[in-house]
């Protein structure tokens, strides 16, 4: 029997919005993607990126298509089906001395999702996005054909697919280069940082000596201490400094139920942020760290999105160009905190050069990401104001996190949009491939 | 362990084969689609199975393929030790009632042909002085139930066959392991609403592997289903007529 579609409701990691549609889930991606509008992996994009545009659209859940197809021990070249998770890749390869070239902040993503979002990580300033390390992709394009694309073959389609949010074709297989690591442990260092200038300077300084850097910012601190936080740096530990044993599997905890709405108020956020800041009681910490604790601190808590309660939450992530006085980042944080924005988590990172993904998010500058609960009346206006500032500063937003941006705002910050749309039109003239997000932002029609 | 797996390309068979591969076991796969066979073998090799993972085409709907495929496995492995059968067909009660042709296929594959395959295995294992035959039946065969009238009847027959094998040939060295999965989240059950105690294929695989190593004749996975089915078996007929389970 061919895989059958069934009605279900979809939402992303932010649990807002919720959309109705048809789903297919099967080990056989080739068969199940015929006629589908979109693929989704582990659904860790926050908003509507992996949601069907309308109730008649079919979305393929790829997570059962998770076979590894070829691995070359010498070059590290790995080919796998799109549904394999990063969790599984780490479980299988870390102890053997291999790691993905670029890792996002969670292991609950699939290879296909990593390509579609062209994810970036703590090493963006040296290694760029995941797409830079992808050698070739096997796609099912809108007319049903299955096409192998790479920089040598159908280059345009290849580059539009890196960061293309799954809108150029269904990603069936991914071939990319794994990286040799000296040990599966991380040598890390972290510093308590007093304000934004020191944070940006710290990131810049660390970029030369450290392959991985990231900052966490206390979003509730204002005035003098605006942008204060913790700066984290790391590199793979050498065998002589690392423990001889592979990192043990960390115990994970589960958020048992949806938190009530009042659990998240200014006071609890403030308490959390203060605690996080002052937990780092020394000005500086160094040592050997478990890779999961370094890369995926939040993965310890399964279903942590339930903390945000019934209304759900969103993340806003933008990249703002560098400036001598850190003006753009300062104005952004100012607007965020004064506009009543509050967030448990705010992550800051300096980005390296723009990658080859046609619509890929990072560009040189400072990337800031923050989570906040969805409020029916306030959130849309708040995101609008943030977007207007980002446009004025010459920055852009990350589609994978976006839920509220307006089409005209996105167009204003994305000069590459026309080129991307042209590739989409060429391969999908009837507009068969679409998502709720592409209807909201890219002018797709239902 | 040297294991022949029929059905390693999907679901619980895939999870179990991966578990064996990660231990570095020697595997031989049987399956009816050549490309699936090749891709699954590659996956298992990368995960640590002893290279090369052997393969042969074998179709549960074509009994004439059984003997040649098992011969090939026997040759390549230097004799059979453990044979695991997870392959089978599934249809919901509505599908099977609607489509008698499909119903015939499901009944044929899940009972008659699975038993014929097991008979080929039995002869070969007994000729070597014994071995383990692990077959995936289902809790659907424990009692006639509304949602699995047809599928369940085939699995009931299969469970009885496995029970008989255990009674008759245990002394001769044949260890018959009958696995009875409850609801497990695989491609087979996609789209159905998972009941409480639904299991993950990885957990099922770990429990089945332990049962195979110990030669446990009957194993419920997830284990909670032993008690669920115990309760269902003890319900009087008038109650079974009323409930939808």
């Amino acid at each position: 029997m061919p895989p059958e579609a069934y009605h279900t409701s979809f939402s992303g990691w932010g649990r807002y919005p919720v959309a109705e549609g048809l789903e297919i889930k099967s080990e056989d991606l080739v068969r199940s993607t015929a006629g589908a509008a979109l693929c989704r992996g582990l659904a860790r994009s926050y908003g509507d990126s992996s949601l069907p545009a309308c109730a008649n659209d079919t979305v393929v859940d790829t997570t059962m298509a998770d076979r590894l197809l070829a691995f070359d021990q010498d070059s590290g070249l790995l080919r796998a089906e799109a549904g394999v998770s990063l969790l599984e890749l780490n479980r299988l390869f870390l102890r053997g001395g291999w790691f993905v070239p670029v890792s996002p902040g969670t292991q609950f993503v699939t290879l296909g999702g990593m390509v579609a979002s062209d994810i970036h990580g703590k090493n963006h300033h040296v290694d760029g996005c995941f797409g830079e390390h992808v050698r070739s992709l096997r796609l099912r394009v809108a007319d049903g054909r299955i096409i192998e694309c790479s920089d040598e073959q159908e280059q345009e389609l290849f580059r539009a697919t890196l960061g293309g949010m799954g809108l150029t074709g269904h990603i069936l297989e991914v071939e990319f280069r794994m990286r040799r690591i000296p040990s599966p442990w991380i040598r890390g260092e972290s510093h308590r940082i007093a304000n934004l200038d020191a944070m940006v300077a710290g990131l810049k300084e660390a970029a030369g000596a450290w392959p991985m850097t990231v900052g966490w910012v206390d979003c509730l601190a204002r005035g003098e201490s605006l942008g204060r936080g913790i700066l984290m740096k790391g590199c793979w530990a050498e065998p002589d400094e690392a423990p001889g044993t592979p990192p043990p599997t960390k115990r994970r905890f589960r958020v048992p139920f949806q938190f009530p709405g009042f659990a998240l108020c200014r006071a609890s956020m403030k308490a959390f942020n203060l605690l996080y800041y002052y937990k780092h009681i020394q000005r500086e910490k160094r040592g050997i760290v478990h890779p999961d604790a370094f890369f995926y601190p939040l993965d310890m808590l399964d279903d942590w999105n339930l903390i945000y309660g019934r209304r759900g939450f969103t993340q806003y992530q933008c990249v703002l160009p560098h400036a001598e006085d850190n003006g753009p980042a300062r104005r952004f944080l100012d607007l965020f905190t004064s506009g009543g924005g509050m967030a448990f988590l705010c992550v800051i990172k300096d980005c390296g050069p723009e990658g080859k993904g046609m619509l890929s998010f990072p560009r040189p500058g400072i990337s800031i990401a923050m989570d906040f609960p969805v409020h029916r009346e306030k959130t849309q206006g708040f995101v609008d104001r943030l977007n207007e500032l980002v446009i004025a500063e010459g920055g852009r937003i990350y589609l994978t996190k976006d839920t509220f941006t307006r089409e005209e705002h996105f167009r204003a910050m994305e000069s590459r949009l026309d080129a991307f749309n042209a590739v989409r039109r060429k391969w999908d003239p009837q507009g068969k491939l679409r998502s709720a997000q592409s209807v909201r932002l890219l002018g797709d029609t239902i | 362990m040297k294991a022949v797996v029929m059905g390693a390309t999907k679901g619980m068979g895939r999870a179990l084969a991966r578990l064996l591969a990660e231990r570095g076991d020697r595997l031989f796969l049987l399956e009816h689609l050549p490309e699936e066979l090749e891709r699954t073998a590659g996956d298992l090799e990368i995960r640590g199975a002893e290279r090369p993972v052997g393969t042969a085409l074998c179709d549960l709907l074509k009994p004439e393929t059984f003997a040649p495929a098992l011969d090939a496995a026997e040759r390549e492995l230097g004799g059979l030790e453990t044979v695991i059968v997870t392959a089978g067909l599934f249809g919901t009660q509505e599908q099977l009632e609607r489509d008698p042709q499909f119903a015939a296929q499901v009944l044929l594959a899940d009972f008659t042909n699975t038993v014929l395959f097991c008979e080929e295995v039995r002869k070969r294992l007994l000729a070597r002085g014994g071995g383990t035959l692990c077959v995936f039946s289902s809790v659907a065969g424990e009692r006639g139930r509304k949602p699995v009238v047809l599928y369940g009847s085939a699995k009931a027959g299969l469970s009885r066959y496995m029970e008989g094998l255990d009674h008759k040939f245990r002394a001769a060295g044949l260890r018959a392991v009958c696995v009875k999965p409850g609801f497990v989240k695989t491609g087979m059950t996609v789209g159905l609403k998972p009941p409480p105690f639904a299991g993950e294929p990885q957990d099922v695989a770990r429990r089945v592997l332990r049962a195979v190593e110990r030669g446990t004749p009957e194993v419920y996975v997830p284990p909670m289903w032993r008690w669920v089915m115990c309760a269902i078996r003890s319900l009087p007929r008038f109650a079974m007529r009323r409930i939808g389970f």
Side-chain angles (χ1 to χ4, degrees), chain A residues 1 4 6 25 27 64-71 78 81 88 91-93 173, chain B residues 9-11 14 18 22 36 39-40 42-43 46-47 95 102 185-187 190-191:
Chain A
M1 296 282 284
E4 275 186 59
Y6 48 92
K25 186 173 180 178
E27 281 105 342
M64 278 188 181
D66 62 347
R67 281 177 294 196
L68 309 174
L69 301 172
F71 180 61
L78 175 68
E81 292 176 333
E88 185 74 346
R91 192 179 69 77
L92 293 169
F93 286 94
E173 291 170 19
Chain B
T9 49
K10 286 184 169 170
R14 180 186 278 194
R18 284 178 173 177
E22 282 172 35
E36 284 294 291
R39 287 164 77 93
T40 302
D43 178 59
I46 298 170
R47 285 167 190 265
Q95 284 170 338
F102 180 50
K185 295 174 192 160
T186 64
V190 147

Side-chain angles (χ1 to χ4, degrees), chain B residues 170-202:
Chain B
R170 172 76 48 161
L174 179 73
R175 308 199 302 174
V177 177
C178 181
V179 182
K180 296 177 175 176
F183 192 101
V184 180
K185 295 174 192 160
T186 64
M188 189 182 106
T189 55
V190 147
L192 304 177
K193 191 171 165 282
F197 321 119
E200 296 290 340
Q202 292 79 3

Side-chain angles (χ1 to χ4, degrees), chain A residues 272-349:
Chain A
F272 177 86
N273 275 282
L274 269 177
L275 227 89
Y276 199 94
Y277 185 67
Y278 285 109
K279 188 184 72 138
H280 205 278
I281 199 90
Q282 310 97 313
R283 291 211 22 228
E284 189 179 306
K285 280 192 208 173
R286 43 183 93 210
I288 299 296
V289 197
H290 193 294
D292 288 359
F294 182 75
F295 287 107
Y296 319 113
L298 287 171
D299 282 358
M300 240 182 74
L301 206 56
D302 282 351
D303 300 331
W304 63 260
N305 53 351
L306 294 179
I307 290 176
Y308 282 93
R310 194 161 46 91
R311 287 176 299 164
F313 72 115
T314 183
Q315 187 175 84
Y316 189 87
Q317 181 169 5
C318 62
V319 57
L320 300 161
H322 285 298
E324 270 308 296
D325 61 344
N326 303 316
R330 187 186 319 281
R331 287 188 284 276
F332 180 81
L333 284 178
D334 255 335
L335 177 63
F336 186 81
T337 51
S338 66
M342 44 178 196
F344 269 124
L345 295 155
C346 173
V347 175
I348 186 164
K349 165 78 193 143

Side-chain angles (χ1 to χ4, degrees), chain A residues 46-124:
Chain A
Y46 279 65
D48 51 4
S49 314
S50 72
L51 271 48
C54 66
N56 296 325
D57 274 5
T58 302
V59 178
V60 177
D61 179 319
T62 64
T63 52
M64 278 188 181
D66 62 347
R67 281 177 294 196
L68 309 174
L69 301 172
F71 180 61
D72 181 2
Q73 286 282 351
D74 298 318
S75 64
L77 209 60
L78 175 68
R79 175 175 272 264
E81 292 176 333
V84 67
S85 72
L86 181 53
L87 181 76
E88 185 74 346
L89 289 181
N90 287 342
R91 192 179 69 77
L92 293 169
F93 286 94
L94 208 54
R95 54 184 66 207
W98 296 97
F99 191 64
V100 285
V102 174
S103 168
T106 172
Q107 307 187 68
F108 299 107
V109 292
T110 60
L111 260 187
M114 287 164 76
V115 172
S117 287
D118 200 14
I119 54 104
H120 57 277
K122 296 175 171 63
N123 58 349
H124 189 269

Side-chain angles (χ1 to χ4, degrees), chain B residues 143 145 227-236 240 243 245:
Chain B
R143 183 110 202 238
R145 291 193 285 119
W227 309 114
V228 174
M229 293 324 290
C230 188
I232 293 290
R233 272 196 310 269
S234 61
L235 282 180
M240 288 303 286
I243 62 172
F245 186 76

Side-chain angles (χ1 to χ4, degrees), chain A residues 120 124 203 214-215 217 316-322 329 332 346-351 361-370 396 398 401:
Chain A
H120 57 277
H124 189 269
L203 282 167
V214 70
V217 168
Y316 189 87
Q317 181 169 5
C318 62
V319 57
L320 300 161
H322 285 298
F332 180 81
C346 173
V347 175
I348 186 164
K349 165 78 193 143
D350 56 328
C351 291
F361 160 70
R363 49 152 291 160
I366 296 288
S367 151
I368 302 176
M370 54 231 324
R396 64 165 82 119
Y398 189 12
K401 312 292 178 71

Side-chain angles (χ1 to χ4, degrees), chain B residues 1 11 41 65 80 91 101 118 126 135 140 178 183 185 207 224:
Chain B
M1 190 190 278
T65 60
L80 301 185
Q101 233 172 338
C118 291
L126 288 173
V135 177
C178 181
F183 192 101
K185 295 174 192 160
R207 290 194 179 270
M224 191 60 178

